[in-house]
Amino acid sequence: MEYRKLGDSELEVSVIGYGCWAMGKRFWGDDVDDEESIRAVHRALELGITLFDTADVYGMGHSERVLGEALKGHRDEMIIATKGARVWDEETLEVTGSDISAGHMIKACNDSLARLGIDCIDLYQVHTSYEGAPIEECAEALVNLQQEGKIRYIGVSNYSVPDMQRHIATAPLISLQPPYNMLTRGIEEEILPFCIEHNIGTLVYGPMAQGLLSGKYREGATWPESDMRHNSPRFQGEQFERNLAAIERLKAIAQADGKTVAQLAVAWCLNQPGVTVALCGVKRPSQIEETAAAAGWKLSDDELAQIDCIITETGAG
Ligand SMILES: NC(=O)c1ccc[n+]([C@@H]2O[C@H](COP(=O)([O-])OP(=O)(O)OC[C@H]3O[C@@H](n4cnc5c(N)ncnc54)[C@H](OP(=O)(O)O)[C@@H]3O)[C@@H](O)[C@H]2O)c1
């Protein structure tokens, strides 16, 4: 495994981060099993993965509870990252909005600590900003949580450059968690350069575009209604066909280096300037075994150029 320092912190994190969203058992189909999730976490530890990312909203607490079970006896080997901000209805379990007021963030952090069964969260992240979000109030509340010893470092997710500027005027910030993969490049123009300039580490999410770039899907693939890919444009109709055509050509690049297209997708992220960690979603041990092997793969300029060319020529997105 390869390790990198996360922003301006003392955390040395594995470049492959373990994404615990599917572990929550909502929005990812019907094939997630708690025992298998725990086995996958333990396999990840054997592979040298140290960073585990969850959120209170993943399965409305379920992901944090399962990770809390998995970390028993392993706490010292793990860097635990979680997030708060989302609000949901306890009866319907539907997300109703976001709230980063001090009151909400303090309660959300305390609830996460209880579900995880730990005294201190290594990286506590604001899950999202929104129109009218009280960013300074939230940043101050997080500094207070840090002073109380409940969180070690502060991170944010889905923040724009102006949001981060407001945050860092009030509180330290070691990391940003944005979406990023070969097909989703919105952060390249402003956000990654800003993070490089301010020594903010990045944990990019969705490196395989929700599994699309794992290369396992074929034409005519369908997803159950309980899986968010059921309605995602990237997985439907002509766009899906264009994406599959790109993946076939990407496979040739991966195979030439003795790798899989899933590993190529993850390594591509890790080869981009400003990216510290690729957060890979996992349902079972075999998946993390495959993606972990993307660490340390240095792609050549020629390979990077070929990938850009394939995406442009096929219209993948
Ligand atoms: N901050 C945010 O707003 C935010 C948003 C999204 C995600 N995240 C974080 O980022 C993590 C990763 O993102 P993601 O889960 O959306 O996307 P991803 O890593 O691109 O895709 C994960 C999915 O791909 C499939 N997969 C993974 N490894 C595979 C392998 N080796 N072979 C075949 N299929 C494989 C699995 O689903 P199937 O087996 O069903 O195909 C898995 O659930 C999340 O778990 C979460 O921690 C954060």
Side-chain angles (χ1 to χ4, degrees), residues 256-297:
D257 278 355
K259 300 277 190 188
T260 67
V261 72
Q263 290 161 347
L264 182 71
V266 174
W268 181 89
C269 294
L270 293 172
N271 275 264
Q272 302 306 316
V275 172
T276 316
V277 169
L279 280 180
C280 302
V282 187
K283 283 183 170 175
R284 52 191 68 93
S286 59
Q287 292 187 337
I288 193 62
E289 280 168 9
E290 181 177 2
T291 43
W297 181 12

Side-chain angles (χ1 to χ4, degrees), residues 233-269:
R234 186 167 265 174
F235 291 84
Q236 323 290 328
E238 286 177 17
Q239 188 58 55
F240 186 46
E241 283 170 29
R242 285 193 284 274
N243 293 340
L244 292 179
I247 289 164
E248 278 313 304
R249 291 177 59 187
L250 292 169
K251 274 182 187 168
I253 300 179
Q255 280 164 5
D257 278 355
K259 300 277 190 188
T260 67
V261 72
Q263 290 161 347
L264 182 71
V266 174
W268 181 89
C269 294

Side-chain angles (χ1 to χ4, degrees), residues 19 53 157-158 177 208 210 216-217 229 281 283 287 290:
D53 177 74
S157 178
N158 302 308
Q177 188 175 141
M208 288 167 281
Q210 298 186 326
K216 70 182 167 198
Y217 296 115
R229 293 169 290 190
K283 283 183 170 175
Q287 292 187 337
E290 181 177 2

Side-chain angles (χ1 to χ4, degrees), residues 43-184:
R43 184 71 187 115
L45 287 170
E46 288 168 3
L47 295 164
I49 289 170
T50 56
L51 178 64
F52 295 80
D53 177 74
T54 182
D56 56 0
V57 72
Y58 295 167
M60 287 60 201
H62 192 71
S63 172
E64 289 184 328
R65 278 189 287 269
V66 175
L67 185 61
E69 279 302 308
L71 63 75
K72 285 180 183 161
H74 297 280
R75 178 68 185 99
D76 295 349
E77 304 155 55
M78 298 168 82
I79 294 167
I80 302 294
T82 190
K83 317 178 201 76
R86 300 278 196 218
V87 181
W88 62 88
D89 183 306
E90 288 292 350
E91 278 188 14
T92 64
L93 300 185
E94 294 303 323
V95 173
T96 52
S98 298
D99 180 359
I100 64 165
S101 65
H104 178 80
M105 293 304 286
I106 292 165
K107 181 177 183 317
C109 178
N110 285 327
D111 289 350
S112 289
L113 283 165
R115 282 189 291 258
L116 287 159
I118 58 179
D119 299 329
C120 178
I121 293 162
D122 298 300
L123 177 63
Y124 194 59
Q125 304 156 105
V126 187
H127 206 146
T128 190
S129 181
Y130 49 89
E131 180 94 29
I135 289 177
E136 293 79 4
E137 176 185 324
C138 172
E140 270 174 37
L142 297 186
V143 169
N144 289 338
L145 286 168
Q146 205 172 24
Q147 285 164 355
E148 287 174 48
K150 291 184 173 177
I151 67 175
R152 212 168 145 203
Y153 290 106
I154 300 169
V156 296
S157 178
N158 302 308
Y159 265 39
S160 64
V161 166
D163 291 338
M164 285 191 279
Q165 282 168 327
R166 285 176 59 190
H167 177 101
I168 60 179
T170 311
L173 180 65
I174 68 153
S175 65
L176 169 72
Q177 188 175 141
Y180 193 49
N181 57 59
M182 285 178 193
L183 308 177
T184 311

